[in-house]
Amino acid sequence: MTDGDRGAARASQLAGWCTVLAVGAVTAVACLLRGGPVAVYLIGAGVTAAAGTALAVLGLRGRPRAASVGVVVLAAVASVVVPWHLAQAARTGDALWSLDTAGPAQDVRVHSSGLLFADQDGLHAVDRADGRVLWSATGPAPVGGFDVAADGHVLVRFAGTDGLREAVWLSPAGDELWRHVAGPTDDGPAAGGQVVVEHEAYARPVAAADGVLVVVACGPAARSCSYVGIGPDGRQVWSRPGAPWSGVGSGAPSTNAPVHVARVGHPALPRVAVVAAPDSPSPAERPAGTRVPAEIVDAADGASVADLEIQDVVAVVGDLVVHDAGPATTAGRCRLDAVDAEGVLTWTSEPPCLIEGVTAGDRYLHADGPSGSVVVDATTGRWAEIAGSGGDAVPGDDVVLRRAGAHVEGLDPATGRQLWRRPLSDPAHVPTLTSGHGAAVLLSPAGRSSNPFLAAVEAAPGAAAVLVLEDRTGAVTAGLTTTETIWSTTPTGPGQAAVAMLDRIVLLGDQDT
């Protein structure tokens, strides 16, 4: 064979291997772009590596050949190892820790000792750093709910289907201070949110300080109530008569604005309670704009620290009492006043009227207004209106999340200004959005990613994706793609979130927060 024939044969071989290389590369890239099956991707990557090696052997000599073969081998290994590692991280969320639970972890909250959650075995406190169980509280029935005081005390309510109910008051370290039991023979049923102390059913607690829990009991007509302080020894330390505000004692909101206030992210029970004068007409009974005398009461000893005349309580945020102060000077607005624990007027503001759905966080009040969501800074009275968002806005103390078409936006609650914006993985589905404690969480059905090693998981029925973000920047700190049922997602710290599944809870996010 002449040199020319050998050259032609070599050129033909090179052309053939180039074709094979192109076919393998196109196959592998198509799988990356479309999330194709992992077997097809591996075949494409393997064919590409084999063709690249053959081209290096045929086309090069000496050290260049060896170097090129080495590069091809490294690229082939990386094309498998890197997406496989990323898929493993997505399947596990690169969890900081995982803890088995007795059924789904319910009502996960941030506490001074770490995290609190309830499961079928009781209430548990875990160390947020490593998931170690610090203490547990158990009762004769499942946990019906719990409340956390500003100083770390915890009230746990156990409520069984057999009528047995218990209320347990715990120190910040989880030590039991008192436990009151009400059996099925006690008079009258107890609603799910009620606390039974010494055979008396009280509405949910309204305040706590220095180990004293303030609960409320109202008469059948909800015209008169008793505000009672229960001390660390489980005995009544003070009591004073009063009248109910919207929703207090009745288990339902009044028909008069403002509606019953819910809480964002379970802020701690405030240190003060607002007690209306006894026999005052309820908000639904008195004419619009009518004010009633009231007192700000210290939860620790029941002492009156300030006298007020107000229309209705909007919220108690920390030691600030925000109340409806009547008509505003501007049409379409309502006046709000904030008074501190000493009775000093802190601010007056005239935001758009809070129509319904008032929620209170550690700093901001959120509600639906005439043209969208209204956010009021409870510390300053400054307000912002997020036009057109309505029920699409998810409130938080650091960011307001809102779906905008095929995107999710993070908005500054103080100004309504957009902080960040990111596309949804599957715009056809509405994601579940939560925010608080420096994190934002997006929960949605798993979409198609570019990782073939995740294709089988993403295509499985019920597969879900969790994305954890730093709330002020939108930077992704963790992600989880799973076929396990996700019960809840709870922001727990800057760039961190707890994800509760059917039988375990995991913490996702940055290690250093």
Side-chain angles (χ1 to χ4, degrees), residues 402-436:
R402 180 180 67 178
R403 177 173 177 175
H407 293 78
V408 170
E409 297 176 329
L411 309 176
D412 188 333
T415 63
R417 178 178 60 89
Q418 183 186 106
L419 299 173
W420 51 265
R421 177 182 174 95
R422 65 172 297 109
L424 293 170
S425 59
D426 187 356
H429 293 87
V430 178
T432 300
L433 309 175
T434 52
S435 69

PDB file of all heavy atoms in Angstrom, residues 402-436:
ATOM      1  N   ARG A 402     -44.674  36.916  45.789  1.00  0.00           N
ATOM      2  CA  ARG A 402     -45.840  37.055  44.923  1.00  0.00           C
ATOM      3  C   ARG A 402     -45.574  36.341  43.609  1.00  0.00           C
ATOM      4  O   ARG A 402     -44.494  36.465  43.020  1.00  0.00           O
ATOM      5  CB  ARG A 402     -46.135  38.533  44.658  1.00  0.00           C
ATOM      6  CG  ARG A 402     -47.351  38.749  43.762  1.00  0.00           C
ATOM      7  CD  ARG A 402     -47.622  40.224  43.516  1.00  0.00           C
ATOM      8  NE  ARG A 402     -46.587  40.865  42.732  1.00  0.00           N
ATOM      9  CZ  ARG A 402     -46.613  42.141  42.349  1.00  0.00           C
ATOM     10  NH1 ARG A 402     -47.619  42.902  42.735  1.00  0.00           N
ATOM     11  NH2 ARG A 402     -45.646  42.651  41.637  1.00  0.00           N
ATOM     12  N   ARG A 403     -46.559  35.593  43.154  1.00  0.00           N
ATOM     13  CA  ARG A 403     -46.446  35.003  41.822  1.00  0.00           C
ATOM     14  C   ARG A 403     -46.861  36.037  40.792  1.00  0.00           C
ATOM     15  O   ARG A 403     -47.904  36.689  40.932  1.00  0.00           O
ATOM     16  CB  ARG A 403     -47.338  33.768  41.702  1.00  0.00           C
ATOM     17  CG  ARG A 403     -47.282  33.195  40.284  1.00  0.00           C
ATOM     18  CD  ARG A 403     -47.996  31.887  40.129  1.00  0.00           C
ATOM     19  NE  ARG A 403     -47.944  31.467  38.729  1.00  0.00           N
ATOM     20  CZ  ARG A 403     -48.393  30.310  38.283  1.00  0.00           C
ATOM     21  NH1 ARG A 403     -48.914  29.451  39.139  1.00  0.00           N
ATOM     22  NH2 ARG A 403     -48.317  30.007  37.007  1.00  0.00           N
ATOM     23  N   ALA A 404     -46.018  36.179  39.780  1.00  0.00           N
ATOM     24  CA  ALA A 404     -46.300  37.113  38.690  1.00  0.00           C
ATOM     25  C   ALA A 404     -46.136  36.370  37.370  1.00  0.00           C
ATOM     26  O   ALA A 404     -45.033  36.251  36.838  1.00  0.00           O
ATOM     27  CB  ALA A 404     -45.349  38.309  38.755  1.00  0.00           C
ATOM     28  N   GLY A 405     -47.244  35.821  36.863  1.00  0.00           N
ATOM     29  CA  GLY A 405     -47.179  35.047  35.629  1.00  0.00           C
ATOM     30  C   GLY A 405     -46.344  33.791  35.818  1.00  0.00           C
ATOM     31  O   GLY A 405     -46.613  32.960  36.682  1.00  0.00           O
ATOM     32  N   ALA A 406     -45.306  33.654  35.004  1.00  0.00           N
ATOM     33  CA  ALA A 406     -44.435  32.481  35.058  1.00  0.00           C
ATOM     34  C   ALA A 406     -43.254  32.687  35.993  1.00  0.00           C
ATOM     35  O   ALA A 406     -42.273  31.948  35.928  1.00  0.00           O
ATOM     36  CB  ALA A 406     -43.933  32.147  33.656  1.00  0.00           C
ATOM     37  N   HIS A 407     -43.340  33.699  36.862  1.00  0.00           N
ATOM     38  CA  HIS A 407     -42.234  34.008  37.767  1.00  0.00           C
ATOM     39  C   HIS A 407     -42.735  34.139  39.211  1.00  0.00           C
ATOM     40  O   HIS A 407     -43.924  34.299  39.459  1.00  0.00           O
ATOM     41  CB  HIS A 407     -41.552  35.325  37.350  1.00  0.00           C
ATOM     42  CG  HIS A 407     -40.831  35.251  36.045  1.00  0.00           C
ATOM     43  ND1 HIS A 407     -41.500  35.302  34.831  1.00  0.00           N
ATOM     44  CD2 HIS A 407     -39.496  35.136  35.753  1.00  0.00           C
ATOM     45  CE1 HIS A 407     -40.613  35.224  33.850  1.00  0.00           C
ATOM     46  NE2 HIS A 407     -39.409  35.120  34.384  1.00  0.00           N
ATOM     47  N   VAL A 408     -41.795  34.081  40.130  1.00  0.00           N
ATOM     48  CA  VAL A 408     -42.039  34.428  41.529  1.00  0.00           C
ATOM     49  C   VAL A 408     -41.197  35.643  41.849  1.00  0.00           C
ATOM     50  O   VAL A 408     -40.014  35.701  41.486  1.00  0.00           O
ATOM     51  CB  VAL A 408     -41.667  33.272  42.479  1.00  0.00           C
ATOM     52  CG1 VAL A 408     -41.695  33.735  43.931  1.00  0.00           C
ATOM     53  CG2 VAL A 408     -42.631  32.115  42.299  1.00  0.00           C
ATOM     54  N   GLU A 409     -41.804  36.626  42.521  1.00  0.00           N
ATOM     55  CA  GLU A 409     -41.099  37.848  42.879  1.00  0.00           C
ATOM     56  C   GLU A 409     -40.941  37.943  44.390  1.00  0.00           C
ATOM     57  O   GLU A 409     -41.813  37.516  45.140  1.00  0.00           O
ATOM     58  CB  GLU A 409     -41.876  39.081  42.394  1.00  0.00           C
ATOM     59  CG  GLU A 409     -42.044  39.178  40.892  1.00  0.00           C
ATOM     60  CD  GLU A 409     -42.904  40.366  40.505  1.00  0.00           C
ATOM     61  OE1 GLU A 409     -43.806  40.728  41.295  1.00  0.00           O
ATOM     62  OE2 GLU A 409     -42.683  40.909  39.414  1.00  0.00           O
ATOM     63  N   GLY A 410     -39.828  38.524  44.792  1.00  0.00           N
ATOM     64  CA  GLY A 410     -39.622  38.890  46.177  1.00  0.00           C
ATOM     65  C   GLY A 410     -39.696  40.396  46.293  1.00  0.00           C
ATOM     66  O   GLY A 410     -38.951  41.119  45.624  1.00  0.00           O
ATOM     67  N   LEU A 411     -40.629  40.904  47.119  1.00  0.00           N
ATOM     68  CA  LEU A 411     -40.865  42.341  47.231  1.00  0.00           C
ATOM     69  C   LEU A 411     -40.499  42.833  48.621  1.00  0.00           C
ATOM     70  O   LEU A 411     -40.692  42.128  49.619  1.00  0.00           O
ATOM     71  CB  LEU A 411     -42.333  42.668  46.946  1.00  0.00           C
ATOM     72  CG  LEU A 411     -42.936  42.109  45.650  1.00  0.00           C
ATOM     73  CD1 LEU A 411     -44.415  42.442  45.569  1.00  0.00           C
ATOM     74  CD2 LEU A 411     -42.194  42.650  44.435  1.00  0.00           C
ATOM     75  N   ASP A 412     -39.968  44.042  48.684  1.00  0.00           N
ATOM     76  CA  ASP A 412     -39.650  44.664  49.966  1.00  0.00           C
ATOM     77  C   ASP A 412     -40.959  45.031  50.666  1.00  0.00           C
ATOM     78  O   ASP A 412     -41.762  45.796  50.133  1.00  0.00           O
ATOM     79  CB  ASP A 412     -38.810  45.913  49.721  1.00  0.00           C
ATOM     80  CG  ASP A 412     -38.266  46.526  51.007  1.00  0.00           C
ATOM     81  OD1 ASP A 412     -38.909  46.347  52.058  1.00  0.00           O
ATOM     82  OD2 ASP A 412     -37.218  47.185  50.957  1.00  0.00           O
ATOM     83  N   PRO A 413     -41.220  44.485  51.879  1.00  0.00           N
ATOM     84  CA  PRO A 413     -42.494  44.791  52.536  1.00  0.00           C
ATOM     85  C   PRO A 413     -42.640  46.255  52.928  1.00  0.00           C
ATOM     86  O   PRO A 413     -43.756  46.746  53.106  1.00  0.00           O
ATOM     87  CB  PRO A 413     -42.479  43.879  53.776  1.00  0.00           C
ATOM     88  CG  PRO A 413     -41.039  43.586  54.012  1.00  0.00           C
ATOM     89  CD  PRO A 413     -40.394  43.566  52.670  1.00  0.00           C
ATOM     90  N   ALA A 414     -41.517  46.973  53.058  1.00  0.00           N
ATOM     91  CA  ALA A 414     -41.591  48.377  53.472  1.00  0.00           C
ATOM     92  C   ALA A 414     -41.957  49.298  52.317  1.00  0.00           C
ATOM     93  O   ALA A 414     -42.559  50.348  52.523  1.00  0.00           O
ATOM     94  CB  ALA A 414     -40.255  48.818  54.074  1.00  0.00           C
ATOM     95  N   THR A 415     -41.608  48.906  51.084  1.00  0.00           N
ATOM     96  CA  THR A 415     -41.812  49.805  49.951  1.00  0.00           C
ATOM     97  C   THR A 415     -42.598  49.176  48.808  1.00  0.00           C
ATOM     98  O   THR A 415     -43.089  49.892  47.935  1.00  0.00           O
ATOM     99  CB  THR A 415     -40.453  50.267  49.390  1.00  0.00           C
ATOM    100  OG1 THR A 415     -39.735  49.130  48.890  1.00  0.00           O
ATOM    101  CG2 THR A 415     -39.624  50.948  50.485  1.00  0.00           C
ATOM    102  N   GLY A 416     -42.699  47.842  48.774  1.00  0.00           N
ATOM    103  CA  GLY A 416     -43.305  47.163  47.635  1.00  0.00           C
ATOM    104  C   GLY A 416     -42.365  47.022  46.462  1.00  0.00           C
ATOM    105  O   GLY A 416     -42.745  46.488  45.419  1.00  0.00           O
ATOM    106  N   ARG A 417     -41.108  47.481  46.603  1.00  0.00           N
ATOM    107  CA  ARG A 417     -40.135  47.419  45.510  1.00  0.00           C
ATOM    108  C   ARG A 417     -39.691  45.973  45.273  1.00  0.00           C
ATOM    109  O   ARG A 417     -39.506  45.208  46.212  1.00  0.00           O
ATOM    110  CB  ARG A 417     -38.925  48.293  45.846  1.00  0.00           C
ATOM    111  CG  ARG A 417     -37.815  48.285  44.798  1.00  0.00           C
ATOM    112  CD  ARG A 417     -36.702  49.231  45.216  1.00  0.00           C
ATOM    113  NE  ARG A 417     -36.114  48.842  46.490  1.00  0.00           N
ATOM    114  CZ  ARG A 417     -35.094  47.989  46.602  1.00  0.00           C
ATOM    115  NH1 ARG A 417     -34.593  47.411  45.522  1.00  0.00           N
ATOM    116  NH2 ARG A 417     -34.602  47.700  47.798  1.00  0.00           N
ATOM    117  N   GLN A 418     -39.508  45.625  43.990  1.00  0.00           N
ATOM    118  CA  GLN A 418     -39.048  44.280  43.657  1.00  0.00           C
ATOM    119  C   GLN A 418     -37.586  44.108  44.056  1.00  0.00           C
ATOM    120  O   GLN A 418     -36.721  44.887  43.670  1.00  0.00           O
ATOM    121  CB  GLN A 418     -39.212  44.015  42.162  1.00  0.00           C
ATOM    122  CG  GLN A 418     -38.829  42.600  41.751  1.00  0.00           C
ATOM    123  CD  GLN A 418     -38.870  42.397  40.253  1.00  0.00           C
ATOM    124  OE1 GLN A 418     -37.840  42.320  39.591  1.00  0.00           O
ATOM    125  NE2 GLN A 418     -40.067  42.326  39.704  1.00  0.00           N
ATOM    126  N   LEU A 419     -37.310  43.046  44.841  1.00  0.00           N
ATOM    127  CA  LEU A 419     -35.943  42.731  45.252  1.00  0.00           C
ATOM    128  C   LEU A 419     -35.305  41.713  44.321  1.00  0.00           C
ATOM    129  O   LEU A 419     -34.116  41.782  44.033  1.00  0.00           O
ATOM    130  CB  LEU A 419     -35.940  42.185  46.684  1.00  0.00           C
ATOM    131  CG  LEU A 419     -36.465  43.114  47.775  1.00  0.00           C
ATOM    132  CD1 LEU A 419     -36.559  42.384  49.107  1.00  0.00           C
ATOM    133  CD2 LEU A 419     -35.570  44.339  47.897  1.00  0.00           C
ATOM    134  N   TRP A 420     -36.094  40.754  43.870  1.00  0.00           N
ATOM    135  CA  TRP A 420     -35.598  39.724  42.954  1.00  0.00           C
ATOM    136  C   TRP A 420     -36.767  39.077  42.225  1.00  0.00           C
ATOM    137  O   TRP A 420     -37.923  39.259  42.596  1.00  0.00           O
ATOM    138  CB  TRP A 420     -34.769  38.659  43.693  1.00  0.00           C
ATOM    139  CG  TRP A 420     -35.409  38.053  44.908  1.00  0.00           C
ATOM    140  CD1 TRP A 420     -35.241  38.437  46.197  1.00  0.00           C
ATOM    141  CD2 TRP A 420     -36.350  36.961  44.940  1.00  0.00           C
ATOM    142  NE1 TRP A 420     -35.998  37.660  47.039  1.00  0.00           N
ATOM    143  CE2 TRP A 420     -36.680  36.734  46.301  1.00  0.00           C
ATOM    144  CE3 TRP A 420     -36.921  36.148  43.978  1.00  0.00           C
ATOM    145  CZ2 TRP A 420     -37.556  35.744  46.692  1.00  0.00           C
ATOM    146  CZ3 TRP A 420     -37.805  35.143  44.370  1.00  0.00           C
ATOM    147  CH2 TRP A 420     -38.108  34.950  45.709  1.00  0.00           C
ATOM    148  N   ARG A 421     -36.428  38.324  41.209  1.00  0.00           N
ATOM    149  CA  ARG A 421     -37.433  37.669  40.369  1.00  0.00           C
ATOM    150  C   ARG A 421     -36.803  36.410  39.781  1.00  0.00           C
ATOM    151  O   ARG A 421     -35.669  36.455  39.302  1.00  0.00           O
ATOM    152  CB  ARG A 421     -37.872  38.635  39.257  1.00  0.00           C
ATOM    153  CG  ARG A 421     -38.878  38.084  38.244  1.00  0.00           C
ATOM    154  CD  ARG A 421     -39.124  39.173  37.214  1.00  0.00           C
ATOM    155  NE  ARG A 421     -39.955  38.738  36.102  1.00  0.00           N
ATOM    156  CZ  ARG A 421     -41.264  38.911  36.037  1.00  0.00           C
ATOM    157  NH1 ARG A 421     -41.878  39.522  37.024  1.00  0.00           N
ATOM    158  NH2 ARG A 421     -41.958  38.498  35.002  1.00  0.00           N
ATOM    159  N   ARG A 422     -37.504  35.302  39.833  1.00  0.00           N
ATOM    160  CA  ARG A 422     -36.970  34.077  39.264  1.00  0.00           C
ATOM    161  C   ARG A 422     -38.093  33.293  38.576  1.00  0.00           C
ATOM    162  O   ARG A 422     -39.260  33.326  39.004  1.00  0.00           O
ATOM    163  CB  ARG A 422     -36.286  33.201  40.316  1.00  0.00           C
ATOM    164  CG  ARG A 422     -37.148  32.649  41.395  1.00  0.00           C
ATOM    165  CD  ARG A 422     -36.363  31.650  42.255  1.00  0.00           C
ATOM    166  NE  ARG A 422     -35.915  30.508  41.512  1.00  0.00           N
ATOM    167  CZ  ARG A 422     -34.647  30.257  41.185  1.00  0.00           C
ATOM    168  NH1 ARG A 422     -33.683  31.065  41.567  1.00  0.00           N
ATOM    169  NH2 ARG A 422     -34.316  29.189  40.500  1.00  0.00           N
ATOM    170  N   PRO A 423     -37.761  32.566  37.487  1.00  0.00           N
ATOM    171  CA  PRO A 423     -38.788  31.816  36.758  1.00  0.00           C
ATOM    172  C   PRO A 423     -39.242  30.585  37.529  1.00  0.00           C
ATOM    173  O   PRO A 423     -38.487  30.006  38.315  1.00  0.00           O
ATOM    174  CB  PRO A 423     -38.074  31.426  35.457  1.00  0.00           C
ATOM    175  CG  PRO A 423     -36.625  31.394  35.824  1.00  0.00           C
ATOM    176  CD  PRO A 423     -36.442  32.476  36.846  1.00  0.00           C
ATOM    177  N   LEU A 424     -40.473  30.181  37.293  1.00  0.00           N
ATOM    178  CA  LEU A 424     -41.003  28.956  37.875  1.00  0.00           C
ATOM    179  C   LEU A 424     -40.591  27.766  37.016  1.00  0.00           C
ATOM    180  O   LEU A 424     -40.540  27.861  35.792  1.00  0.00           O
ATOM    181  CB  LEU A 424     -42.526  29.022  37.953  1.00  0.00           C
ATOM    182  CG  LEU A 424     -43.118  30.048  38.927  1.00  0.00           C
ATOM    183  CD1 LEU A 424     -44.620  30.169  38.718  1.00  0.00           C
ATOM    184  CD2 LEU A 424     -42.818  29.640  40.355  1.00  0.00           C
ATOM    185  N   SER A 425     -40.304  26.640  37.658  1.00  0.00           N
ATOM    186  CA  SER A 425     -39.918  25.452  36.900  1.00  0.00           C
ATOM    187  C   SER A 425     -41.083  24.909  36.090  1.00  0.00           C
ATOM    188  O   SER A 425     -40.891  24.323  35.033  1.00  0.00           O
ATOM    189  CB  SER A 425     -39.396  24.361  37.849  1.00  0.00           C
ATOM    190  OG  SER A 425     -40.397  24.013  38.805  1.00  0.00           O
ATOM    191  N   ASP A 426     -42.300  25.089  36.590  1.00  0.00           N
ATOM    192  CA  ASP A 426     -43.493  24.629  35.877  1.00  0.00           C
ATOM    193  C   ASP A 426     -44.592  25.678  36.050  1.00  0.00           C
ATOM    194  O   ASP A 426     -45.353  25.644  37.013  1.00  0.00           O
ATOM    195  CB  ASP A 426     -43.956  23.279  36.425  1.00  0.00           C
ATOM    196  CG  ASP A 426     -45.098  22.683  35.610  1.00  0.00           C
ATOM    197  OD1 ASP A 426     -45.579  23.355  34.674  1.00  0.00           O
ATOM    198  OD2 ASP A 426     -45.513  21.553  35.922  1.00  0.00           O
ATOM    199  N   PRO A 427     -44.677  26.647  35.130  1.00  0.00           N
ATOM    200  CA  PRO A 427     -45.654  27.736  35.276  1.00  0.00           C
ATOM    201  C   PRO A 427     -47.102  27.268  35.304  1.00  0.00           C
ATOM    202  O   PRO A 427     -47.988  28.016  35.711  1.00  0.00           O
ATOM    203  CB  PRO A 427     -45.386  28.616  34.040  1.00  0.00           C
ATOM    204  CG  PRO A 427     -43.993  28.263  33.616  1.00  0.00           C
ATOM    205  CD  PRO A 427     -43.818  26.822  33.952  1.00  0.00           C
ATOM    206  N   ALA A 428     -47.354  26.015  34.879  1.00  0.00           N
ATOM    207  CA  ALA A 428     -48.731  25.529  34.852  1.00  0.00           C
ATOM    208  C   ALA A 428     -49.253  25.223  36.250  1.00  0.00           C
ATOM    209  O   ALA A 428     -50.462  25.083  36.438  1.00  0.00           O
ATOM    210  CB  ALA A 428     -48.824  24.280  33.987  1.00  0.00           C
ATOM    211  N   HIS A 429     -48.366  25.108  37.233  1.00  0.00           N
ATOM    212  CA  HIS A 429     -48.779  24.797  38.590  1.00  0.00           C
ATOM    213  C   HIS A 429     -48.464  25.976  39.516  1.00  0.00           C
ATOM    214  O   HIS A 429     -47.421  26.620  39.379  1.00  0.00           O
ATOM    215  CB  HIS A 429     -48.075  23.547  39.106  1.00  0.00           C
ATOM    216  CG  HIS A 429     -48.482  22.287  38.389  1.00  0.00           C
ATOM    217  ND1 HIS A 429     -47.865  21.866  37.220  1.00  0.00           N
ATOM    218  CD2 HIS A 429     -49.446  21.377  38.664  1.00  0.00           C
ATOM    219  CE1 HIS A 429     -48.433  20.749  36.817  1.00  0.00           C
ATOM    220  NE2 HIS A 429     -49.386  20.424  37.670  1.00  0.00           N
ATOM    221  N   VAL A 430     -49.354  26.221  40.462  1.00  0.00           N
ATOM    222  CA  VAL A 430     -49.160  27.296  41.431  1.00  0.00           C
ATOM    223  C   VAL A 430     -48.291  26.772  42.575  1.00  0.00           C
ATOM    224  O   VAL A 430     -48.666  25.796  43.235  1.00  0.00           O
ATOM    225  CB  VAL A 430     -50.496  27.806  41.985  1.00  0.00           C
ATOM    226  CG1 VAL A 430     -50.271  28.890  43.029  1.00  0.00           C
ATOM    227  CG2 VAL A 430     -51.368  28.333  40.846  1.00  0.00           C
ATOM    228  N   PRO A 431     -47.137  27.371  42.814  1.00  0.00           N
ATOM    229  CA  PRO A 431     -46.274  26.871  43.887  1.00  0.00           C
ATOM    230  C   PRO A 431     -46.795  27.279  45.260  1.00  0.00           C
ATOM    231  O   PRO A 431     -47.541  28.244  45.405  1.00  0.00           O
ATOM    232  CB  PRO A 431     -44.930  27.543  43.588  1.00  0.00           C
ATOM    233  CG  PRO A 431     -45.314  28.840  42.938  1.00  0.00           C
ATOM    234  CD  PRO A 431     -46.556  28.535  42.133  1.00  0.00           C
ATOM    235  N   THR A 432     -46.388  26.531  46.274  1.00  0.00           N
ATOM    236  CA  THR A 432     -46.637  26.906  47.662  1.00  0.00           C
ATOM    237  C   THR A 432     -45.462  27.751  48.130  1.00  0.00           C
ATOM    238  O   THR A 432     -44.310  27.317  48.059  1.00  0.00           O
ATOM    239  CB  THR A 432     -46.780  25.663  48.554  1.00  0.00           C
ATOM    240  OG1 THR A 432     -47.878  24.873  48.082  1.00  0.00           O
ATOM    241  CG2 THR A 432     -47.029  26.061  49.997  1.00  0.00           C
ATOM    242  N   LEU A 433     -45.738  28.970  48.592  1.00  0.00           N
ATOM    243  CA  LEU A 433     -44.699  29.918  48.963  1.00  0.00           C
ATOM    244  C   LEU A 433     -44.751  30.191  50.462  1.00  0.00           C
ATOM    245  O   LEU A 433     -45.829  30.403  51.017  1.00  0.00           O
ATOM    246  CB  LEU A 433     -44.870  31.241  48.196  1.00  0.00           C
ATOM    247  CG  LEU A 433     -45.016  31.150  46.676  1.00  0.00           C
ATOM    248  CD1 LEU A 433     -45.302  32.527  46.093  1.00  0.00           C
ATOM    249  CD2 LEU A 433     -43.762  30.571  46.049  1.00  0.00           C
ATOM    250  N   THR A 434     -43.599  30.189  51.129  1.00  0.00           N
ATOM    251  CA  THR A 434     -43.509  30.564  52.536  1.00  0.00           C
ATOM    252  C   THR A 434     -42.254  31.400  52.732  1.00  0.00           C
ATOM    253  O   THR A 434     -41.276  31.261  51.987  1.00  0.00           O
ATOM    254  CB  THR A 434     -43.440  29.329  53.458  1.00  0.00           C
ATOM    255  OG1 THR A 434     -42.395  28.456  53.000  1.00  0.00           O
ATOM    256  CG2 THR A 434     -44.748  28.570  53.472  1.00  0.00           C
ATOM    257  N   SER A 435     -42.276  32.280  53.736  1.00  0.00           N
ATOM    258  CA  SER A 435     -41.089  33.093  54.013  1.00  0.00           C
ATOM    259  C   SER A 435     -41.050  33.420  55.498  1.00  0.00           C
ATOM    260  O   SER A 435     -42.068  33.399  56.191  1.00  0.00           O
ATOM    261  CB  SER A 435     -41.103  34.387  53.189  1.00  0.00           C
ATOM    262  OG  SER A 435     -42.120  35.273  53.626  1.00  0.00           O
ATOM    263  N   GLY A 436     -39.856  33.742  55.965  1.00  0.00           N
ATOM    264  CA  GLY A 436     -39.659  34.114  57.360  1.00  0.00           C
ATOM    265  C   GLY A 436     -38.262  33.769  57.813  1.00  0.00           C
ATOM    266  O   GLY A 436     -37.588  32.918  57.213  1.00  0.00           O
TER     267      GLY A 436
END
